[in-house]
Amino acid sequence: MNALQILLQQTVNGVQIGSVYALIAVGYTMVYGVLKFINFAHGDVYMVGAYTGFFTVTAIFASKAPAIQGVSALVLAMVACSMLGLFIERLAYRPLRNGIQPSDAPAWSLFWSLYITLFLGGWLVNRSVLPPLLVYCVTFAGSSVVMYLLMRRLFASLSKKLRPSSDRLTALITAIGVSLLLENQGAASFGVTPRAAQIKGVNGGKDITLPTLFSQHIKLSVGVGQIVVLVAALLLTAVLVYTVRFTSVGRSIRAVSLDRDAAALMGIPTDTVIAVTFLIGSALAGAAGMLNHMLTGIPFDSNIGIALGLKAFVAAVLGGIGSIEGAVLGALLMGVAETFTSGSAFSPFKDAVAFVILIVVLLFKPSGLMGRYAPEKV
Amino acid sequence: MMMRRQFMYPALVVLMAMGLATGGCKSPANSGSSQSSGNDIIVGEYGSLTGPQATFGKSTDNAIQLATDELNANGGIDGRKVKVVTQDDMSQASNAALAVQNLIDQQHAIAILGEVASSCSQAGGRVCQSKGIPMISPSSTNPAVTAIGDDIFRVCFIDPFQAAVVARFAHDSLGATRVAVFTNTDQDYSTGFSKNFIEAFTKMGGTIVIQKSYGGQDTDFRGSLTAIAQSKPQAILIPGYYQDVASIAKQARALGITCPLLGGDGWDSPDLVKIGGTALNGCYFSDHLAIDDPSPAVAKFVASYKAKYGQTPDSLAALGYDSANLLFAAMKSAKSLSSSDIRDAVAATKNFPGITGNITINAQRNADKPAVIIKIVNGQFTKYMAISNPDVPLQQKGS
C-alpha cells in the first residue's frame, strides 16, 4: 500500500465512525439548544437502540431477509428510542423545569407501575395458577390505576408548595441520575454478558478501485456494513438538517432555542417543541446504536453508551454546542482524527488527541467551530 | 388534620418503595451440596457468579461441584463427606477479599478454591496467606498470584510460559518471522502477554514489524488495523479477551488482512466464534485443554459435565475440576486435615493425573504442564499440537 492509498483508506474509516458520532452528537446539541443543559442520559438511549436492533435481528425478525431485518430493526430502534426519549423528558426534566404538576402523574404512575409489575407480578406468578401473562396484565392495570390516583393527589398538593427549579445544575445532575438508572436497568434486564449480532450479507469487504490518481493505482477495502452505516447516517443527518431549516417544526425548534420565553409569548407551545426535540434526538441516537452494532457486529453491553456518548458530546462541543451543522462537522473531524492517530505511532494517545483538538479549538474560538458567540445579557 | 393528610401521601409512597426494595430481594443461597451434617469437611470456594466475568465463574463453579459430587459418591475422604461452600464476589477484587474472610471466619473452611481473574485471586490470596489457609487458584495465570506466599497454589500455567509457547509455535510451526502485536493496554494480562511474547520471539530471531494498542472500551479498530496491514505481517498477535478479538478479527478481514491471528487463553469462549464468525477460521490460540482431546479422562469429564449441566465444558471448567480433584487428593494423602498439613501435601504433588495434563506443583507453587495450541477450523476449536517446553525448537510441522 502506498501513502496516498493509506490516506484515503484511513479517511474512509474515520468518516464512517465519525458519522456514527454525528448521529449521537446532534441529539446533545439539539437538547442543549432548547434547554441549555447537557442530557447525559443520551448515550444510554444509544445503548437501548443497540439492544432493540439486537432483539429485532435475533428474535423478532430472525428468519427474514437481511433487507427486511435491517429496515425493521432501524425503524423499531428509532421508534423505541423516541418513546424512551419522550418518557425521560416527561418523567425527569419537565417536572424540574415547570414545577411538579398533576399532569405529570401519568408518566410517574407508568414508571412506578412498571416496577411494581416487575416485582409484585413476579411474586404473584409463583403463587397463582393463572397464566403468567394474565397475572402481569392484571398487576399492571391495578397498579397503574392505584399509582395514578395516588400520584395525582400527591402532585396536586406538592405543586402548591414546590417552586420550579431554574437552576441548570439540577437538571444536569438529574440527567446523570437518569443515565445511571438506564445503565443499571439495562444490566439487570439484558445481563452483563456482551451481545453481538450482525445482519447477514454485510460482513464481507468490498474492494473499490479508484481511477488512477497522481499516477498511482488506488484500491480501497471497505466493508459492506461500513458503507450502509455511512450512507444511512448521512441520509438521516441530511433529513434532520432539512427538517430544522425548512419546516415549521424546525422553525419552532429554532425559535425556542433562540429565546424560550419570547417564543412562548409568540404562541409557540414550548413544552411540545421540547418534547419533539427529545423525540428527534433520541430517534437518531437509537438509529446510531442499531446501525453501528447490527451492521458491523461490534459487541456491546449496557455500558456501551458511556464511552460513545462522551465522544459524541466532545464532538458537539467542538463543533459549537447548539449548532447542528457544527455537531456533524465536529463528529466527522473527531472520527478522522481518531483513526489517523490510531494508525500512527501515537496509537495509545488516540482518545487524548480528540481532547487536545477540543482544547486548542476552544482556546481560539470559545464557542466552538460553528457556534455563535452569545454575550450574557444581564 | 389537613397537615396530616398531606403528609400521608409521601409517607405511603416511601413505604411502598421500601416494600418494593425489600420484597424484590431473594435471600442469598449457597450452592453447596445438599445434605450437610456436622461431620462434613468444609472447603470454601469464591468466584464471579455474577458480574462481567460471570461466564468464567459459573463454569468453574459447576466443575468444582461436579468433582465434589463424584468424590462424595465414592465415599468422600476417610468416610467423611466434603461440602463446598460457595461465595459470590461479583467479579470485584474488593468483594473477593470479603468473601474469603467470610469463608474462613464464619464457615470455617480448611482450604479455599478460587478465583479465575488474577486481580480477584490476588485479593483473596492475601487473606488466605495471612490466615494460613491453603488456596488453589484454578485459572489465574498472572505470575503475581502465587508470589503472595507459600499458601497459594495454582493448577494452570503462567502467562510468560503461555506467551513463549505462542512465540515458539509462530516461529517454528507457522514459519513466521514477521509478526505484528496488537495489545489491549487496559489489561495487565494483555500487556504482560505481549511483553513476554516479544522477548521470546525476538530471541528466536523473529521481527516484530509493528506494535499497536487499543483501550478496553474501543469498538472501532480499523485505524490501527490499516497501519498493521501496511506493514505486511505473517501473523498478528492479539492477546485480548474474546469480545475484543472477535470484532478485531471481523474488521481485519473486511480490510483485506488474511494472515492468521494468534492469541492466548483469553480467547477461549464459545462467544468468540459466535461473534466473530468465519473471520476467525484458520487462527490459533494457546489454551489449557482441548475439549476434543480423545483421551478417556477428558472424554469422561466432558460426558459427565454435559449430563449434569446440559452444555459442553470450556477449559475453565476443566481447570476448576482439576483444582478440586488435586485438593481432594492432597487431603487424602495429608497427615491430618489441618490446614498446614494440607498445604504440605498440595506442595508435594507430583504428576497428578489431571484432565488438563499431568500436574506437578513446582517450587514457585505453579503447575508444570504442557500448553495446547488450538486451531479454529470452521468455527470449531480443534487441538493442533501440545507444547511442553517452549525453549526447545519444534520439529517442523507442515500446515
Side-chain angles (χ1 to χ4, degrees):
Chain A
M1 275 197 265
N2 53 52
L4 188 62
Q5 186 165 340
I6 299 272
L7 192 80
L8 286 173
Q9 177 78 57
Q10 294 286 38
T11 311
V12 171
N13 294 340
V15 168
Q16 190 261 310
I17 188 70
S19 65
V20 174
Y21 292 159
L23 279 182
I24 314 173
V26 290
Y28 276 109
T29 223
M30 283 174 72
V31 167
Y32 184 86
V34 294
L35 286 181
K36 305 286 179 279
F37 92 100
I38 306 297
N39 176 19
F40 275 111
H42 194 59
D44 302 297
V45 175
Y46 168 92
M47 175 270 290
V48 173
Y51 273 105
T52 314
F54 176 80
F55 289 117
T56 313
V57 171
T58 57
I60 308 175
F61 291 103
S63 53
K64 294 283 192 300
I68 299 176
Q69 278 189 349
V71 172
S72 56
L74 184 64
V75 170
L76 282 181
M78 289 179 76
V79 169
C81 289
S82 53
M83 291 297 119
L84 179 69
L86 273 183
F87 187 55
I88 292 172
E89 197 270 329
R90 208 67 186 74
L91 188 75
Y93 304 143
R94 193 183 295 187
L96 276 183
R97 196 167 68 234
N98 297 348
I100 204 150
Q101 303 289 337
S103 62
D104 294 323
W108 274 88
S109 57
L110 176 62
F111 176 75
W112 280 112
S113 45
L114 280 176
Y115 275 93
I116 293 174
T117 312
L118 198 68
F119 289 110
L120 186 68
W123 187 78
L124 286 174
V125 161
N126 291 333
R127 281 160 188 78
S128 88
V129 288
L130 298 167
L133 190 67
L134 183 73
V135 175
Y136 279 118
C137 287
V138 169
T139 322
F140 182 70
S143 55
S144 31
V145 169
V146 172
M147 289 317 280
Y148 176 70
L149 294 174
L150 203 69
M151 290 288 169
R152 211 178 48 175
R153 293 295 294 273
L154 176 71
F155 289 175
S157 70
L158 283 179
S159 65
K160 293 186 198 105
K161 289 189 201 156
L162 298 179
R163 297 271 142 260
S165 163
S166 57
D167 192 355
R168 266 180 246 157
L169 197 62
T170 324
L172 194 77
I173 289 168
T174 307
I176 295 173
V178 174
S179 162
L180 286 172
L181 176 74
L182 285 175
E183 278 153 25
N184 289 293
Q185 188 56 54
S189 310
F190 308 129
V192 288
T193 323
R195 312 276 192 132
Q198 192 171 21
I199 293 169
K200 279 184 201 67
V202 295
N203 190 20
K206 267 245 176 353
D207 282 345
I208 300 172
T209 310
L210 295 180
T212 310
L213 267 174
F214 307 114
S215 69
Q216 280 182 331
H217 179 66
I218 310 275
K219 205 183 77 188
L220 296 180
S221 301
V222 189
V224 181
Q226 238 182 317
I227 301 172
V228 180
V229 174
L230 181 65
V231 171
L234 292 182
L235 261 179
L236 285 171
T237 317
V239 169
L240 174 78
V241 171
Y242 173 82
T243 312
V244 173
R245 283 245 163 139
F246 301 108
T247 65
S248 65
V249 178
R251 198 157 37 238
S252 30
I253 291 179
R254 278 183 291 138
V256 172
S257 99
L258 213 57
D259 190 329
R260 179 140 55 97
D261 295 333
L265 291 174
M266 296 301 122
I268 292 172
T270 47
D271 278 338
T272 314
V273 170
I274 290 167
V276 168
T277 310
F278 269 87
L279 185 144
I280 296 174
S282 305
L284 291 182
M290 177 271 156
L291 289 170
N292 196 23
H293 292 282
M294 289 310 111
L295 288 168
T296 54
I298 295 170
F300 61 95
D301 60 14
S302 64
N303 287 335
I304 187 76
I306 302 176
L308 272 159
L310 189 66
K311 281 184 189 165
F313 168 58
V314 172
V317 176
L318 177 64
I321 191 125
S323 154
I324 291 169
E325 292 85 350
V328 176
L329 179 72
L332 293 178
L333 204 65
M334 264 195 51
V336 173
E338 212 180 272
T339 318
F340 272 96
T341 325
S342 60
S344 75
F346 302 104
S347 62
F349 300 100
K350 191 180 85 158
D351 292 338
V353 164
F355 287 92
V356 169
I357 295 177
L358 177 74
I359 291 168
V360 171
V361 168
L362 292 189
L363 271 179
F364 291 100
K365 199 162 183 310
S367 55
L369 289 174
M370 294 176 83
R372 281 185 316 271
Y373 172 65
E376 198 80 10
K377 277 166 281 200
V378 193
Chain B
M1 201 59 205
M2 197 57 216
M3 272 310 282
R4 279 180 67 185
R5 276 196 57 159
Q6 280 178 345
F7 275 113
M8 256 182 64
Y9 290 108
L12 244 168
V13 172
V14 169
L15 271 176
M16 287 193 74
M18 280 167 69
L20 261 178
T22 50
C25 295
K26 279 185 196 144
S27 56
N30 289 330
S31 50
S33 348
S34 41
Q35 291 94 30
S36 71
S37 69
N39 198 29
D40 285 351
I41 303 169
I42 306 290
V43 169
E45 182 211 341
Y46 66 110
S48 313
L49 299 181
T50 56
Q53 275 110 43
T55 57
F56 298 156
K58 272 186 197 133
S59 9
T60 309
D61 180 53
N62 284 348
I64 290 175
Q65 295 301 339
L66 178 67
T68 314
D69 290 352
E70 286 175 2
L71 175 83
N72 288 337
N74 290 328
I77 293 170
D78 300 333
R80 289 171 71 188
K81 285 201 153 114
V82 170
K83 187 184 175 206
V84 175
V85 180
T86 308
Q87 282 265 328
D88 179 15
D89 61 28
M90 298 175 247
S91 312
Q92 287 170 13
S94 52
N95 285 334
L98 290 176
V100 172
Q101 220 147 36
N102 179 24
L103 286 170
I104 296 172
D105 294 344
Q106 312 293 320
Q107 313 284 344
H108 307 292
I110 55 166
I112 300 285
L113 293 170
E115 232 261 28
V116 177
S118 295
S119 52
C120 292
S121 290
Q122 288 186 57
R126 282 192 202 100
V127 178
C128 287
Q129 181 67 33
S130 71
K131 294 187 186 283
I133 302 285
M135 175 186 117
I136 304 180
S137 162
S139 41
S140 289
T141 48
N142 190 309
V145 172
T146 47
I148 291 171
D150 59 354
D151 280 318
I152 315 300
F153 302 88
R154 73 177 113 213
V155 295
C156 54
F157 47 65
I158 54 174
D159 285 336
F161 172 81
Q162 184 177 199
V165 161
V166 176
R168 178 54 70 192
F169 165 77
H171 186 266
D172 291 4
S173 186
L174 288 182
T177 52
R178 299 164 50 80
V179 173
V181 176
F182 197 29
T183 314
N184 180 349
T185 41
D186 284 357
Q187 289 280 352
D188 286 348
Y189 164 74
S190 193
T191 49
F193 198 116
S194 292
K195 190 177 135 264
N196 291 310
F197 175 89
I198 292 167
E199 264 173 37
F201 192 68
T202 45
K203 216 195 252 170
M204 289 168 204
T207 320
I208 305 296
V209 288
I210 189 168
Q211 282 187 60
K212 286 276 150 200
S213 62
Y214 63 94
Q217 292 186 319
D218 287 1
T219 51
D220 188 274
F221 307 97
R222 279 179 280 250
S224 296
L225 287 172
T226 303
I228 290 175
Q230 186 195 8
S231 67
K232 298 200 173 55
Q234 291 162 311
I236 306 172
L237 176 79
I238 312 169
Y241 285 119
Y242 61 90
Q243 61 266 55
D244 301 338
V245 173
S247 33
I248 291 171
K250 277 189 145 173
Q251 295 177 13
R253 299 300 183 232
L255 285 170
I257 298 175
T258 51
C259 69
L261 312 177
L262 309 172
D265 60 337
W267 283 30
D268 186 2
S269 163
D271 283 350
L272 177 75
V273 186
K274 225 190 271 169
I275 301 170
T278 51
L280 285 150
N281 285 342
C283 296
Y284 304 86
F285 64 96
S286 64
D287 209 344
H288 306 273
L289 162 89
I291 291 297
D292 69 332
D293 197 311
S295 80
V298 177
K300 182 178 162 281
F301 165 70
V302 172
S304 42
Y305 188 97
K306 258 188 184 163
K308 189 160 186 207
Y309 300 109
Q311 60 193 42
T312 316
D314 50 16
S315 66
L316 292 160
L319 287 167
Y321 190 75
D322 275 358
S323 68
N325 280 331
L326 189 142
L327 175 67
F328 299 152
M331 284 160 85
K332 279 180 187 161
S333 66
K335 274 180 275 172
S336 76
L337 282 179
S338 73
S339 290
S340 59
D341 283 340
I342 295 174
R343 184 200 55 222
D344 293 344
V346 173
T349 302
K350 291 245 165 352
N351 273 322
F352 171 79
I355 50 168
T356 59
N358 284 350
I359 300 168
T360 297
I361 301 291
N362 64 22
Q364 285 78 45
R365 296 171 301 283
N366 299 323
D368 280 338
K369 61 178 193 187
V372 186
I373 297 288
I374 307 265
K375 183 180 189 181
I376 304 172
V377 181
N378 289 327
Q380 299 290 320
F381 293 169
T382 50
K383 181 176 173 177
Y384 191 70
M385 58 174 18
I387 298 176
S388 41
N389 188 352
D391 298 333
V392 180
L394 301 174
Q395 309 255 298
Q396 213 69 29
K397 179 175 175 179
S399 58

